[in-house]
Amino acid sequence: MSKIAAATFEDGQYFFEQRIVEQYIGDYIQNLTNVPMDAEELQVESEAALKAIEAQHGLLAERAQGIFSFSYLAFQEYFTAKQKIRQFEHFIWT
């Protein structure tokens, strides 16, 4: 969530296309597992994860067909700050 929030917030995007969110989720899934997935399987998994995040956690909301945003701006701001702190800590300790 932090990468999605930071990337979109820095670009001033409070609304973003479903494919953008699914790309970030797909990248996360690929980094999480060492099992290679073909593009179609990764697309299905990313879409399912996005729908689960929306339905179960409520962090993201579909505002129009294929257009998402964080359900509250405070979530986007919080996750952006969290990402920035991680980057800063990585910079300090490396």
Side-chain angles (χ1 to χ4, degrees):
M1 297 305 300
S2 294
K3 288 190 179 197
I4 296 168
T8 55
F9 189 78
E10 289 173 356
D11 289 341
Q13 294 179 320
Y14 303 109
F15 301 94
F16 29 87
E17 295 178 21
Q18 181 173 342
R19 66 177 179 79
I20 301 295
V21 181
E22 288 176 356
Q23 180 63 48
Y24 282 107
I25 293 170
D27 291 346
Y28 178 78
I29 290 171
Q30 284 184 320
N31 289 333
L32 189 63
T33 65
N34 291 330
V35 179
M37 290 186 175
D38 64 16
E40 188 174 319
E41 183 182 12
L42 189 57
Q43 170 63 31
V44 169
E45 292 295 324
S46 298
E47 186 175 348
L50 175 58
K51 293 300 180 185
I53 290 168
E54 179 184 22
Q56 296 174 11
H57 304 290
L59 294 173
L60 296 173
E62 188 171 19
R63 303 300 184 170
Q65 186 174 2
I67 304 297
F68 282 80
S69 73
F70 281 86
S71 54
Y72 296 97
L73 179 59
F75 289 147
Q76 190 175 17
E77 293 169 337
Y78 170 78
F79 286 115
T80 298
K82 203 170 173 183
Q83 178 70 11
K84 292 299 178 184
I85 289 169
R86 274 194 211 121
Q87 290 172 345
F88 180 73
E89 289 174 341
H90 178 74
F91 174 76
I92 294 297
W93 298 111
T94 56

